[in-house]
């Protein structure tokens, strides 16, 4: 055990309450991916190759009559009241995939996580996954922000609409309080953002994604339910699904 107020060898910013540590890796074995920066980069690459982004509310799929009567053929989708034709469709609906349950045959759930961004005036050196204090996770970013998340809600069928997810201030304040309990430096850090999101899970087994050709469909595919591993597995998942399409 270390003395109160002393820093552990591998943790230079956690000087309060932390009694031990276990190293998971270093910069040669572990990397952090910023979700929005990765998404922006992937879309910029797709746009350079001729892809076009269209924002709208998808109301339903449109079907053609199949020749054998057993396999459904999608001809497009109704988006904002207009029929948009498509040769193939990929359904990537995240935690809002519960509308697909009749087609998938499995339940889709979301787990709500809150998070805060905090700025201490410098870039912290280590990402930390705490064991205790309800296991918060801390990810320093190169722009000076520190991303802190934890205290998940129970799994549920998501009813909140995309873009209108409620952020509960009391949960965010719990995250800020915990940071003050483990770091004197973070006690005075500025909170620059409070937010909440849902992680998508399948009801079969949490963390097991649902991917592949939609049952009884000839040209519709699904990719969802990756849980907390969505960013990590995103590139491999996209590559796998593209192999089914082309």
């Amino acid at each position: 055990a270390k003395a109160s107020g002393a820093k552990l060898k591998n943790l230079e910013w956690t000087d309060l309450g932390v009694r031990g540590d276990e190293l998971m890796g270093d910069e040669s074995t572990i990397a952090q991916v910023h979700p929005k920066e990765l998404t922006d980069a992937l879309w910029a690459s797709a746009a350079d190759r001729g892809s076009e982004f269209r924002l709208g509310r998808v109301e339903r799929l449109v079907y053609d009559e199949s020749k054998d009567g057993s396999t459904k053929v999608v001809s497009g989708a109704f988006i904002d009241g207009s029929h948009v034709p498509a040769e193939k469709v990929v359904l990537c609906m995240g935690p809002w995939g519960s509308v697909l349950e009749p087609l998938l045959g499995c339940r889709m759930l979301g787990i709500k996580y809150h998070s805060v961004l905090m700025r201490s005036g410098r870039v912290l050196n280590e990402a930390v996954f705490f064991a205790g204090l309800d296991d918060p996770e801390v990810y320093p970013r190169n722009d000076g922000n520190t991303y802190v998340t934890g205290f998940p809600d129970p799994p549920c069928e998501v009813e909140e609409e995309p873009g209108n997810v409620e952020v509960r201030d009391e949960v965010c304040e719990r995250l800020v309080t915990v940071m003050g309990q483990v770091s004197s430096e973070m006690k005075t850090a500025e909170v620059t953002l409070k937010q909440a999101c849902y992680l998508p899970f399948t009801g079969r087994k949490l963390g097991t994604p649902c991917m592949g050709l939609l049952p009884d469909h000839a040209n519709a595919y699904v990719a969802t339910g990756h849980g907390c591993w969505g960013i990590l597995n995103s590139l491999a998942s996209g590559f796998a699904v593209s192999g089914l399409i082309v």
Side-chain angles (χ1 to χ4, degrees):
K2 70 177 182 62
S4 177
K7 294 182 180 180
L8 294 168
K9 178 181 178 181
N10 296 315
L11 298 176
E12 55 88 30
W13 59 268
T14 56
D15 59 334
L16 302 176
V18 180
R19 295 300 179 183
D21 67 283
E22 181 178 349
L23 191 65
M24 296 177 64
D26 56 27
E27 292 181 356
S28 67
T29 59
I30 295 177
Q32 181 184 167
V33 177
H34 189 297
K36 187 176 187 305
E37 291 182 4
L38 174 63
T39 303
D40 288 345
L42 289 173
W43 179 250
S45 177
D48 288 342
R49 290 163 171 78
S51 296
E52 179 181 348
F53 176 73
R54 175 169 178 169
L55 179 64
R57 180 183 289 269
V58 179
E59 300 166 15
R60 60 183 176 86
L61 297 176
V62 180
Y63 291 94
D64 283 339
E65 291 187 10
S66 61
K67 295 180 180 180
D68 59 10
S70 61
T71 303
K72 298 179 180 178
V73 178
V74 176
S75 62
F78 264 98
I79 303 176
D80 295 331
S82 299
H83 177 210
V84 178
E87 294 181 359
K88 297 181 181 181
V89 174
V90 182
L91 305 171
C92 304
M93 303 175 67
W96 292 275
S98 58
V99 297
L100 300 176
E101 288 181 15
L103 300 177
L104 294 176
C106 71
R107 194 178 182 198
M108 296 299 302
L109 302 170
I111 295 180
K112 189 173 187 176
Y113 272 85
H114 284 73
S115 61
V116 296
L117 291 182
M118 305 178 68
R119 295 184 72 89
S120 64
R122 69 183 183 94
V123 177
L124 304 183
N125 286 348
E126 304 98 8
V128 179
F129 304 87
F130 288 97
L133 298 173
D134 290 323
D135 304 340
E137 301 176 3
V138 183
Y139 302 85
R141 292 176 173 172
N142 289 333
D143 61 2
N145 281 312
T146 298
Y147 176 87
V148 186
T149 187
F151 311 134
D153 289 358
C156 67
E157 184 172 309
V158 180
E159 296 182 354
E160 295 182 278
E161 293 188 354
N164 292 307
V165 174
E166 178 190 11
V167 178
R168 303 200 304 275
D169 192 66
E170 67 273 15
V171 182
C172 294
E173 287 303 315
R174 284 182 66 194
L175 293 168
V176 174
T177 298
V178 165
M179 292 301 289
Q181 291 176 323
V182 299
S183 171
S184 56
E185 183 176 357
M186 296 304 289
K187 276 187 175 182
T188 57
E190 176 190 7
V191 178
T192 59
L193 183 65
K194 299 177 180 180
Q195 56 191 357
C197 67
Y198 284 93
L199 302 185
F201 290 89
T202 63
R204 292 174 177 170
K205 183 180 180 182
L206 295 185
T208 301
C210 180
M211 296 174 54
L213 186 67
L214 202 62
D216 302 321
H217 285 67
N219 60 340
Y221 306 83
V222 64
T224 189
H226 291 72
C228 55
W229 303 109
I231 293 299
L232 177 66
N233 291 324
S234 60
L235 301 182
S237 296
F239 182 76
V241 173
S242 69
L244 298 175
I245 295 173
V246 298

